[in-house]
Amino acid sequence: MNVLIVEDNPISAKVLQHTLDKHGHESLTARDGDEALEYLESHAEIDMVITDLVMPKTDGTELVRTIKERPEWSNIPVLVCTSMRPESIDSRMQTQGGRFLFKPIRADKLMEKVKEALAEQTPVMRNLEHTRAQIGMESQAFSEIIDESLKVVREKIGLLERHLKEATTAPLDLRDLSEGAALLRAERVMEILSRLDKGAAERTPAILPSNYRALLRELKALEHCLTVFSSR
């Protein structure tokens, strides 16, 4: 899993990074909330955020609030790692849905919280080797399917980016994504496509921009996973 660490104290950041790396997670480190938001914009593969509260510029409280308010990020699990005592934490912060870990950091407690959070998170897609075995396809043929899937995903990423930039209200035809997403067991993409289909049936165009932004992020995350798999 890919974890974004948001921590301005270099010692605490290193403790988090080394512990996560030891347990097989990839990590990025931001020094404050502003840098964290930039990472979230540019790294769709981020599966979880671990953040301090007291930081320069955008602090942890505002960062968590922004994550939960953005439709494309709202499902990202957040772990707040702080030296503040529970009674000192803003009550509004405690309603944001984040978990809390209090410093000094203990590796066992950290990984327990990470495991809990990620267990609740639907992966970008299910294990591709398991998928290949289930459908009974040879490795070479399956690699060709992955390459074709990447082409479709990249095409749709470009289409969505142009559509959102132009801020048009016309719906997009994304039907050809459904079959590929089902084959790859990309459940988060399938869920958004289902919401879009429902909105189209109910003629509710207002839901399009937020769902298109959410779909764009999921497709970029899917692109990352497929690229990693195809490069093996």
Coordinates of all heavy atoms in Angstrom, one line a residue, residues 66-156:
T66 N -10.1 19.0 4.7 CA -10.1 19.1 3.2 C -10.2 17.8 2.6 O -11.0 17.6 1.6 CB -8.8 19.8 2.7 OG1 -8.8 21.1 3.3 CG2 -8.8 20.0 1.2
I67 N -9.5 16.8 3.1 CA -9.6 15.4 2.5 C -11.0 14.9 2.6 O -11.5 14.3 1.6 CB -8.6 14.5 3.3 CG1 -7.2 14.9 3.0 CG2 -8.9 13.0 2.9 CD1 -6.1 14.1 3.8
K68 N -11.7 15.1 3.7 CA -13.0 14.5 3.9 C -14.1 15.3 3.1 O -15.1 14.7 2.8 CB -13.4 14.5 5.4 CG -12.5 13.6 6.2 CD -12.5 12.2 5.7 CE -11.6 11.3 6.5 NZ -11.5 9.9 5.9
E69 N -13.8 16.5 2.7 CA -14.7 17.3 2.0 C -14.6 17.1 0.5 O -15.5 17.4 -0.3 CB -14.6 18.8 2.3 CG -15.1 19.2 3.7 CD -14.8 20.6 4.0 OE1 -14.1 21.3 3.2 OE2 -15.3 21.1 5.1
R70 N -13.5 16.6 0.0 CA -13.3 16.4 -1.4 C -13.8 15.0 -1.8 O -13.3 14.0 -1.3 CB -11.8 16.5 -1.8 CG -11.2 17.9 -1.7 CD -11.4 18.7 -3.0 NE -10.7 18.1 -4.1 CZ -9.4 18.5 -4.4 NH1 -8.8 19.5 -3.7 NH2 -8.8 18.0 -5.5
P71 N -14.8 14.9 -2.7 CA -15.4 13.6 -3.0 C -14.3 12.6 -3.5 O -14.5 11.4 -3.2 CB -16.4 14.0 -4.2 CG -16.7 15.4 -4.0 CD -15.4 16.0 -3.4
E72 N -13.3 13.0 -4.2 CA -12.4 12.1 -4.8 C -11.4 11.6 -3.7 O -10.6 10.6 -3.9 CB -11.6 12.7 -6.0 CG -10.7 13.9 -5.6 CD -11.4 15.2 -5.8 OE1 -12.6 15.3 -5.4 OE2 -10.8 16.2 -6.2
W73 N -11.3 12.3 -2.5 CA -10.4 11.8 -1.5 C -11.1 11.4 -0.2 O -10.5 10.8 0.7 CB -9.5 13.0 -1.1 CG -8.6 13.6 -2.1 CD1 -8.3 12.9 -3.3 CD2 -8.0 14.8 -2.1 NE1 -7.4 13.7 -4.0 CE2 -7.3 14.9 -3.3 CE3 -8.0 15.9 -1.3 CZ2 -6.5 16.1 -3.7 CZ3 -7.2 17.0 -1.6 CH2 -6.5 17.1 -2.8
S74 N -12.4 11.5 -0.2 CA -13.2 11.3 1.1 C -13.1 9.9 1.6 O -13.2 9.7 2.8 CB -14.6 11.7 0.9 OG -15.2 10.9 -0.1
N75 N -12.8 8.9 0.8 CA -12.7 7.5 1.3 C -11.2 7.2 1.7 O -11.0 6.0 2.1 CB -13.2 6.6 0.2 CG -14.7 6.7 0.0 OD1 -15.4 6.9 1.0 ND2 -15.1 6.5 -1.2
I76 N -10.3 8.1 1.5 CA -8.9 7.8 1.9 C -8.9 7.7 3.5 O -9.2 8.7 4.1 CB -7.9 8.8 1.4 CG1 -7.9 8.8 -0.1 CG2 -6.5 8.5 1.9 CD1 -7.1 9.9 -0.7
P77 N -8.4 6.6 4.1 CA -8.3 6.6 5.5 C -7.2 7.5 6.0 O -6.2 7.6 5.4 CB -8.0 5.1 5.8 CG -7.5 4.5 4.5 CD -8.1 5.3 3.4
V78 N -7.5 8.1 7.2 CA -6.6 9.0 7.8 C -6.2 8.6 9.2 O -7.1 8.3 10.0 CB -7.1 10.5 7.8 CG1 -6.2 11.4 8.5 CG2 -7.4 11.0 6.4
L79 N -4.9 8.6 9.5 CA -4.5 8.3 10.9 C -3.8 9.5 11.4 O -2.8 10.0 10.8 CB -3.5 7.1 10.9 CG -2.8 6.8 12.2 CD1 -3.8 6.5 13.3 CD2 -1.8 5.7 12.0
V80 N -4.3 10.1 12.4 CA -3.7 11.3 13.1 C -2.7 10.8 14.1 O -3.0 10.1 15.0 CB -4.7 12.2 13.7 CG1 -4.1 13.3 14.5 CG2 -5.7 12.7 12.7
C81 N -1.4 11.3 13.9 CA -0.3 10.9 14.8 C 0.2 12.1 15.5 O 0.8 13.0 14.8 CB 0.8 10.2 14.0 SG 2.1 9.5 15.0
T82 N -0.1 12.3 16.7 CA 0.2 13.6 17.4 C 0.7 13.4 18.8 O 0.4 12.4 19.5 CB -1.1 14.4 17.4 OG1 -0.9 15.7 18.1 CG2 -2.3 13.7 18.2
S83 N 1.4 14.5 19.3 CA 1.8 14.5 20.7 C 0.8 15.2 21.6 O 1.0 15.3 22.8 CB 3.2 15.3 20.8 OG 3.1 16.6 20.3
M84 N -0.3 15.8 21.0 CA -1.3 16.4 21.8 C -2.1 15.3 22.5 O -2.2 14.2 22.1 CB -2.3 17.1 20.8 CG -1.7 18.3 20.1 SD -2.9 19.1 18.9 CE -4.1 19.8 20.1
R85 N -2.6 15.7 23.7 CA -3.4 14.8 24.5 C -4.8 14.8 24.0 O -5.3 15.7 23.4 CB -3.4 15.2 25.9 CG -2.0 15.2 26.6 CD -1.5 13.7 26.6 NE -0.7 13.4 25.4 CZ -0.4 12.2 25.0 NH1 -0.8 11.1 25.7 NH2 0.3 12.0 23.9
P86 N -5.5 13.7 24.2 CA -6.9 13.6 23.7 C -7.8 14.7 24.0 O -8.6 15.2 23.2 CB -7.4 12.2 24.3 CG -6.2 11.4 24.5 CD -5.1 12.4 24.8
E87 N -7.7 15.2 25.3 CA -8.6 16.3 25.7 C -8.3 17.6 25.1 O -9.1 18.6 25.1 CB -8.5 16.4 27.2 CG -7.1 16.7 27.8 CD -6.3 15.5 28.1 OE1 -6.6 14.4 27.6 OE2 -5.3 15.7 28.8
S88 N -7.1 17.7 24.4 CA -6.7 19.0 23.8 C -7.1 19.0 22.3 O -6.9 20.1 21.7 CB -5.2 19.1 23.9 OG -4.8 19.1 25.3
I89 N -7.6 17.9 21.8 CA -7.9 17.9 20.4 C -9.3 18.5 20.2 O -10.2 18.2 20.9 CB -7.8 16.5 19.9 CG1 -6.4 15.9 20.0 CG2 -8.3 16.4 18.4 CD1 -6.3 14.5 19.6
D90 N -9.3 19.4 19.2 CA -10.6 20.1 18.8 C -11.7 19.0 18.6 O -11.5 18.0 17.9 CB -10.3 20.8 17.5 CG -11.5 21.7 17.1 OD1 -12.6 21.4 17.4 OD2 -11.2 22.7 16.4
S91 N -12.8 19.2 19.2 CA -13.9 18.3 19.1 C -14.4 18.1 17.7 O -14.8 17.0 17.3 CB -15.1 18.8 20.0 OG -15.6 20.0 19.5
R92 N -14.2 19.1 16.9 CA -14.6 19.0 15.4 C -13.7 18.0 14.8 O -14.1 17.3 13.9 CB -14.5 20.4 14.7 CG -15.6 21.4 15.2 CD -15.3 22.7 14.6 NE -14.0 23.3 15.0 CZ -13.5 24.4 14.6 NH1 -14.1 25.1 13.6 NH2 -12.3 24.8 15.0
M93 N -12.4 18.0 15.2 CA -11.5 17.1 14.6 C -11.9 15.6 14.9 O -11.7 14.7 14.1 CB -10.1 17.4 15.2 CG -9.0 16.5 14.7 SD -8.6 16.9 12.9 CE -7.9 15.4 12.4
Q94 N -12.4 15.4 16.0 CA -12.8 14.0 16.4 C -14.0 13.5 15.7 O -14.3 12.3 15.8 CB -13.0 14.0 17.9 CG -11.7 14.3 18.7 CD -11.9 14.1 20.2 OE1 -12.4 13.1 20.7 NE2 -11.4 15.1 21.0
T95 N -14.7 14.4 15.0 CA -15.8 13.9 14.2 C -15.5 13.7 12.7 O -16.4 13.4 11.9 CB -17.0 14.9 14.3 OG1 -16.6 16.2 13.7 CG2 -17.4 15.2 15.7
Q96 N -14.2 13.9 12.3 CA -13.8 13.8 10.9 C -13.6 12.4 10.5 O -13.4 12.1 9.3 CB -12.5 14.6 10.7 CG -12.6 16.1 10.9 CD -13.5 16.7 9.8 OE1 -13.5 16.3 8.7 NE2 -14.3 17.7 10.2
G97 N -13.7 11.4 11.4 CA -13.6 10.0 10.9 C -12.2 9.5 10.9 O -11.9 8.4 10.5
G98 N -11.2 10.2 11.5 CA -9.8 9.8 11.5 C -9.5 9.0 12.8 O -10.2 9.1 13.8
R99 N -8.5 8.2 12.7 CA -8.0 7.4 13.8 C -6.9 8.3 14.5 O -6.3 9.1 13.8 CB -7.5 6.1 13.4 CG -8.6 5.1 13.0 CD -8.0 3.8 12.5 NE -9.0 2.8 12.3 CZ -9.8 2.7 11.2 NH1 -9.7 3.6 10.3 NH2 -10.7 1.7 11.1
F100 N -6.6 8.0 15.8 CA -5.6 8.7 16.5 C -4.5 7.8 17.0 O -4.8 6.7 17.5 CB -6.2 9.5 17.6 CG -7.1 10.6 17.2 CD1 -8.4 10.4 16.8 CD2 -6.6 11.9 17.0 CE1 -9.3 11.4 16.4 CE2 -7.4 12.9 16.6 CZ -8.7 12.7 16.3
L101 N -3.3 8.2 16.9 CA -2.1 7.5 17.5 C -1.3 8.6 18.2 O -1.0 9.6 17.6 CB -1.3 6.8 16.5 CG -0.1 6.0 16.9 CD1 -0.6 4.8 17.7 CD2 0.8 5.6 15.8
F102 N -1.0 8.4 19.5 CA -0.4 9.4 20.3 C 1.1 9.1 20.5 O 1.5 8.0 20.7 CB -1.1 9.6 21.6 CG -2.5 10.0 21.5 CD1 -3.6 9.1 21.5 CD2 -2.8 11.4 21.3 CE1 -4.9 9.5 21.3 CE2 -4.1 11.8 21.1 CZ -5.1 10.9 21.1
K103 N 1.9 10.1 20.2 CA 3.4 10.0 20.4 C 3.8 9.8 21.8 O 3.1 10.3 22.7 CB 4.1 11.2 19.7 CG 3.8 11.4 18.2 CD 4.4 12.7 17.7 CE 4.1 12.9 16.3 NZ 4.7 14.1 15.7
P104 N 4.9 9.2 22.1 CA 5.9 8.6 21.2 C 5.4 7.4 20.4 O 4.6 6.6 20.9 CB 7.1 8.3 22.1 CG 6.5 8.0 23.4 CD 5.3 9.0 23.5
I105 N 5.9 7.3 19.2 CA 5.4 6.3 18.3 C 5.9 4.9 18.7 O 7.1 4.8 18.9 CB 5.8 6.6 16.8 CG1 5.2 8.0 16.4 CG2 5.4 5.5 15.9 CD1 5.9 8.6 15.2
R106 N 5.0 4.0 18.7 CA 5.4 2.6 18.9 C 5.1 1.8 17.7 O 3.9 1.9 17.2 CB 4.7 2.0 20.1 CG 5.2 2.3 21.5 CD 4.4 1.7 22.6 NE 4.1 0.3 22.3 CZ 3.4 -0.5 23.2 NH1 2.9 0.0 24.3 NH2 3.2 -1.8 22.9
A107 N 6.0 1.1 17.2 CA 5.9 0.4 15.9 C 4.7 -0.5 15.9 O 3.9 -0.6 14.9 CB 7.1 -0.4 15.5
D108 N 4.5 -1.3 17.0 CA 3.4 -2.3 17.0 C 2.0 -1.6 17.0 O 1.1 -2.0 16.3 CB 3.5 -3.2 18.2 CG 3.5 -2.4 19.5 OD1 3.8 -1.2 19.6 OD2 3.2 -3.0 20.6
K109 N 1.9 -0.5 17.7 CA 0.6 0.3 17.7 C 0.4 0.9 16.4 O -0.8 1.0 15.9 CB 0.6 1.3 18.8 CG 0.7 0.8 20.2 CD -0.7 0.1 20.5 CE -0.7 -0.4 21.9 NZ -2.0 -1.2 22.2
L110 N 1.5 1.5 15.7 CA 1.3 2.1 14.4 C 0.8 1.1 13.4 O -0.2 1.4 12.7 CB 2.7 2.7 14.0 CG 2.7 3.1 12.5 CD1 1.8 4.3 12.3 CD2 4.2 3.5 12.1
M111 N 1.4 -0.1 13.4 CA 1.0 -1.0 12.3 C -0.3 -1.6 12.6 O -1.1 -2.0 11.7 CB 2.1 -2.2 12.2 CG 3.5 -1.7 11.8 SD 3.3 -0.5 10.3 CE 2.5 -1.5 9.1
E112 N -0.7 -1.7 13.9 CA -2.1 -2.1 14.2 C -3.1 -1.2 13.7 O -4.1 -1.6 13.1 CB -2.2 -2.2 15.7 CG -3.6 -2.6 16.2 CD -3.7 -2.6 17.8 OE1 -2.7 -3.1 18.4 OE2 -4.7 -2.2 18.3
K113 N -2.9 0.1 13.8 CA -3.8 1.2 13.3 C -3.8 1.1 11.8 O -4.9 1.3 11.1 CB -3.4 2.5 13.8 CG -3.5 2.7 15.3 CD -4.9 2.9 15.7 CE -5.1 3.3 17.2 NZ -6.5 3.4 17.6
V114 N -2.6 1.0 11.2 CA -2.5 1.0 9.7 C -3.3 -0.2 9.2 O -4.1 -0.1 8.2 CB -1.1 0.9 9.2 CG1 -1.0 0.6 7.7 CG2 -0.4 2.3 9.6
K115 N -3.1 -1.4 9.8 CA -3.8 -2.6 9.3 C -5.3 -2.5 9.4 O -6.0 -2.9 8.5 CB -3.3 -3.8 10.2 CG -3.9 -5.1 9.7 CD -3.3 -6.3 10.6 CE -3.9 -7.6 10.1 NZ -3.3 -8.7 10.9
E116 N -5.8 -1.9 10.6 CA -7.2 -1.7 10.7 C -7.8 -0.8 9.6 O -8.8 -1.1 9.1 CB -7.5 -1.0 12.1 CG -7.3 -1.9 13.3 CD -7.5 -1.2 14.6 OE1 -7.8 0.1 14.5 OE2 -7.3 -1.8 15.7
A117 N -7.1 0.3 9.4 CA -7.6 1.3 8.4 C -7.6 0.7 7.0 O -8.6 0.8 6.2 CB -6.7 2.5 8.4
L118 N -6.5 0.0 6.6 CA -6.4 -0.5 5.2 C -7.4 -1.7 5.0 O -7.8 -2.0 3.9 CB -5.0 -0.9 4.9 CG -4.0 0.2 4.8 CD1 -2.6 -0.2 4.6 CD2 -4.4 1.3 3.8
A119 N -7.7 -2.4 6.1 CA -8.6 -3.6 6.0 C -10.0 -3.1 5.6 O -10.8 -3.8 5.0 CB -8.7 -4.3 7.4
E120 N -10.4 -1.8 6.0 CA -11.7 -1.3 5.6 C -11.7 -0.6 4.2 O -12.7 -0.3 3.7 CB -12.0 -0.2 6.7 CG -12.2 -0.7 8.1 CD -12.4 0.4 9.1 OE1 -12.5 1.5 8.7 OE2 -12.5 0.1 10.3
Q121 N -10.5 -0.5 3.6 CA -10.4 0.1 2.3 C -10.5 -0.9 1.2 O -9.7 -1.8 1.1 CB -9.1 0.9 2.3 CG -8.8 1.7 1.0 CD -9.6 3.0 1.0 OE1 -10.6 3.1 1.6 NE2 -9.1 3.9 0.2
T122 N -11.4 -0.7 0.3 CA -11.4 -1.5 -0.9 C -10.2 -1.2 -1.8 O -9.9 -0.1 -2.1 CB -12.7 -1.2 -1.8 OG1 -13.8 -1.4 -0.9 CG2 -12.8 -2.2 -3.0
P123 N -9.4 -2.2 -2.2 CA -8.3 -2.0 -3.0 C -8.6 -1.4 -4.4 O -9.8 -1.6 -4.8 CB -7.6 -3.4 -3.1 CG -8.7 -4.3 -2.9 CD -9.6 -3.7 -1.9
V124 N -7.7 -0.8 -5.0 CA -7.9 -0.3 -6.4 C -8.4 -1.4 -7.3 O -9.3 -1.2 -8.1 CB -6.6 0.3 -6.9 CG1 -6.8 0.8 -8.4 CG2 -6.1 1.5 -6.1
M125 N -7.8 -2.5 -7.2 CA -8.2 -3.7 -7.9 C -7.7 -4.9 -7.1 O -6.8 -4.8 -6.3 CB -7.8 -3.8 -9.3 CG -6.3 -3.8 -9.5 SD -5.8 -3.8 -11.3 CE -4.1 -3.8 -11.1
R126 N -8.3 -6.1 -7.4 CA -7.9 -7.3 -6.7 C -6.6 -7.8 -7.3 O -6.2 -7.4 -8.4 CB -9.0 -8.4 -6.8 CG -10.3 -7.9 -6.2 CD -10.2 -7.7 -4.7 NE -11.4 -7.1 -4.1 CZ -11.6 -6.8 -2.8 NH1 -10.6 -7.1 -2.0 NH2 -12.7 -6.3 -2.4
N127 N -5.9 -8.7 -6.6 CA -4.7 -9.3 -7.1 C -4.8 -9.8 -8.5 O -5.6 -10.7 -8.8 CB -4.2 -10.4 -6.1 CG -2.9 -10.9 -6.5 OD1 -2.7 -11.7 -7.4 ND2 -1.9 -10.5 -5.7
L128 N -3.9 -9.3 -9.4 CA -4.0 -9.6 -10.8 C -3.6 -11.1 -11.1 O -4.2 -11.7 -12.0 CB -3.2 -8.6 -11.7 CG -3.9 -7.3 -11.9 CD1 -2.9 -6.4 -12.6 CD2 -5.2 -7.4 -12.7
E129 N -2.7 -11.6 -10.4 CA -2.3 -13.0 -10.6 C -3.5 -13.9 -10.2 O -3.7 -14.9 -10.9 CB -1.1 -13.3 -9.7 CG 0.2 -12.8 -10.3 CD 0.6 -13.5 -11.7 OE1 -0.1 -14.5 -12.0 OE2 1.4 -13.0 -12.4
H130 N -4.2 -13.6 -9.1 CA -5.4 -14.3 -8.8 C -6.4 -14.2 -9.8 O -7.1 -15.2 -10.2 CB -5.9 -13.9 -7.4 CG -5.0 -14.2 -6.3 ND1 -5.2 -13.6 -5.0 CD2 -3.9 -14.9 -6.2 CE1 -4.3 -14.1 -4.2 NE2 -3.5 -14.9 -4.9
T131 N -6.6 -13.0 -10.4 CA -7.6 -12.8 -11.4 C -7.2 -13.6 -12.7 O -8.1 -14.3 -13.3 CB -7.6 -11.3 -11.8 OG1 -8.1 -10.6 -10.7 CG2 -8.6 -11.1 -12.9
R132 N -6.0 -13.6 -13.1 CA -5.5 -14.4 -14.2 C -5.8 -15.9 -14.0 O -6.3 -16.6 -14.9 CB -4.0 -14.2 -14.5 CG -3.5 -14.9 -15.7 CD -1.9 -14.9 -15.7 NE -1.4 -15.6 -14.6 CZ -1.2 -17.0 -14.6 NH1 -1.7 -17.7 -15.7 NH2 -0.7 -17.6 -13.6
A133 N -5.5 -16.4 -12.8 CA -5.7 -17.8 -12.5 C -7.2 -18.1 -12.6 O -7.6 -19.2 -13.1 CB -5.1 -18.2 -11.2
Q134 N -8.0 -17.2 -12.0 CA -9.5 -17.5 -12.0 C -10.1 -17.6 -13.4 O -11.0 -18.4 -13.6 CB -10.2 -16.4 -11.2 CG -10.0 -16.6 -9.7 CD -10.9 -15.6 -8.9 OE1 -11.3 -14.6 -9.4 NE2 -11.1 -15.9 -7.6
I135 N -9.6 -16.7 -14.3 CA -10.2 -16.8 -15.6 C -9.5 -17.8 -16.5 O -10.0 -18.0 -17.7 CB -10.2 -15.4 -16.3 CG1 -8.8 -14.8 -16.5 CG2 -11.1 -14.4 -15.5 CD1 -8.8 -13.5 -17.1
G136 N -8.5 -18.4 -16.0 CA -7.8 -19.5 -16.7 C -7.0 -19.0 -18.0 O -7.1 -19.7 -19.0
M137 N -6.3 -17.9 -17.9 CA -5.6 -17.3 -19.0 C -4.1 -17.5 -18.9 O -3.6 -17.3 -17.8 CB -6.0 -15.9 -19.2 CG -5.5 -15.2 -20.5 SD -6.2 -13.5 -20.7 CE -7.8 -13.9 -21.2
E138 N -3.4 -17.8 -20.0 CA -2.0 -17.9 -19.9 C -1.4 -16.5 -19.7 O -1.9 -15.5 -20.0 CB -1.5 -18.5 -21.2 CG -1.9 -19.9 -21.5 CD -1.4 -20.9 -20.5 OE1 -0.3 -20.7 -20.0 OE2 -2.1 -21.9 -20.2
S139 N -0.1 -16.5 -19.1 CA 0.5 -15.3 -18.7 C 0.7 -14.3 -19.9 O 0.4 -13.1 -19.8 CB 1.9 -15.6 -18.1 OG 1.7 -16.3 -16.9
Q140 N 1.1 -14.8 -21.1 CA 1.3 -13.9 -22.2 C 0.0 -13.3 -22.7 O 0.0 -12.1 -22.9 CB 2.0 -14.7 -23.4 CG 2.3 -13.9 -24.6 CD 3.2 -12.7 -24.3 OE1 4.2 -12.8 -23.6 NE2 2.9 -11.5 -24.9
A141 N -1.0 -14.1 -22.8 CA -2.3 -13.6 -23.2 C -2.8 -12.5 -22.2 O -3.4 -11.5 -22.6 CB -3.3 -14.7 -23.4
F142 N -2.6 -12.8 -20.9 CA -3.1 -11.9 -19.9 C -2.3 -10.6 -19.9 O -2.9 -9.5 -19.7 CB -3.0 -12.5 -18.5 CG -3.7 -11.8 -17.4 CD1 -5.1 -11.7 -17.4 CD2 -3.0 -11.2 -16.4 CE1 -5.8 -11.0 -16.4 CE2 -3.7 -10.5 -15.4 CZ -5.1 -10.4 -15.4
S143 N -1.0 -10.7 -20.2 CA -0.2 -9.4 -20.4 C -0.8 -8.6 -21.5 O -0.8 -7.3 -21.4 CB 1.2 -9.8 -20.6 OG 1.8 -10.4 -19.5
E144 N -1.2 -9.2 -22.6 CA -1.8 -8.4 -23.7 C -3.1 -7.8 -23.2 O -3.4 -6.6 -23.7 CB -2.1 -9.3 -24.9 CG -0.8 -9.9 -25.5 CD -1.0 -10.9 -26.6 OE1 -2.2 -11.0 -27.0 OE2 -0.1 -11.5 -27.1
I145 N -3.9 -8.4 -22.4 CA -5.1 -7.8 -21.9 C -4.8 -6.6 -21.0 O -5.5 -5.6 -21.1 CB -5.9 -8.9 -21.0 CG1 -6.4 -10.0 -21.9 CG2 -7.1 -8.2 -20.3 CD1 -7.3 -9.7 -23.0
I146 N -3.7 -6.7 -20.2 CA -3.3 -5.6 -19.3 C -2.9 -4.4 -20.2 O -3.3 -3.3 -19.9 CB -2.2 -6.1 -18.4 CG1 -2.6 -7.2 -17.4 CG2 -1.6 -4.9 -17.6 CD1 -3.8 -6.8 -16.6
D147 N -2.1 -4.7 -21.3 CA -1.7 -3.6 -22.1 C -2.9 -2.9 -22.8 O -2.9 -1.7 -22.9 CB -0.8 -4.2 -23.2 CG 0.6 -4.6 -22.7 OD1 0.9 -4.2 -21.6 OD2 1.3 -5.4 -23.4
E148 N -3.9 -3.7 -23.2 CA -5.1 -3.1 -23.8 C -5.9 -2.3 -22.8 O -6.4 -1.2 -23.1 CB -5.9 -4.2 -24.5 CG -5.4 -4.8 -25.7 CD -5.2 -3.7 -26.8 OE1 -6.0 -2.9 -27.0 OE2 -4.1 -3.8 -27.5
S149 N -5.9 -2.8 -21.6 CA -6.6 -2.1 -20.5 C -6.0 -0.8 -20.2 O -6.6 0.2 -19.9 CB -6.7 -3.0 -19.3 OG -7.4 -4.2 -19.5
L150 N -4.6 -0.8 -20.2 CA -3.9 0.4 -20.0 C -4.2 1.5 -21.0 O -4.4 2.7 -20.7 CB -2.4 0.2 -20.0 CG -1.7 0.0 -18.6 CD1 -0.3 -0.4 -18.8 CD2 -1.8 1.3 -17.8
K151 N -4.3 1.1 -22.3 CA -4.7 2.0 -23.3 C -6.0 2.6 -23.1 O -6.2 3.9 -23.2 CB -4.7 1.3 -24.7 CG -3.3 0.9 -25.2 CD -3.4 0.1 -26.5 CE -2.1 -0.4 -27.0 NZ -2.2 -1.2 -28.2
V152 N -7.0 1.8 -22.7 CA -8.4 2.3 -22.5 C -8.4 3.3 -21.3 O -9.0 4.4 -21.3 CB -9.3 1.2 -22.2 CG1 -10.7 1.7 -21.8 CG2 -9.5 0.3 -23.5
V153 N -7.7 2.9 -20.2 CA -7.6 3.7 -19.0 C -7.0 5.1 -19.3 O -7.5 6.1 -18.9 CB -6.9 3.0 -17.9 CG1 -6.5 3.9 -16.7 CG2 -7.7 1.8 -17.3
R154 N -5.9 5.1 -20.0 CA -5.2 6.3 -20.4 C -6.1 7.2 -21.3 O -6.1 8.4 -21.1 CB -3.8 6.0 -21.0 CG -2.8 5.5 -20.0 CD -1.6 5.0 -20.6 NE -0.6 4.6 -19.5 CZ 0.4 3.8 -19.7 NH1 0.6 3.3 -20.9 NH2 1.2 3.5 -18.7
E155 N -6.8 6.6 -22.2 CA -7.7 7.3 -23.1 C -8.7 8.0 -22.2 O -9.1 9.2 -22.5 CB -8.3 6.4 -24.1 CG -9.3 7.0 -25.0 CD -10.2 6.0 -25.7 OE1 -9.7 4.9 -26.0 OE2 -11.3 6.4 -26.1
K156 N -9.3 7.3 -21.3 CA -10.4 7.9 -20.5 C -9.9 8.9 -19.5 O -10.6 9.9 -19.2 CB -11.1 6.8 -19.7 CG -11.8 5.7 -20.6 CD -12.7 6.4 -21.6 CE -13.4 5.4 -22.4 NZ -14.2 6.0 -23.5

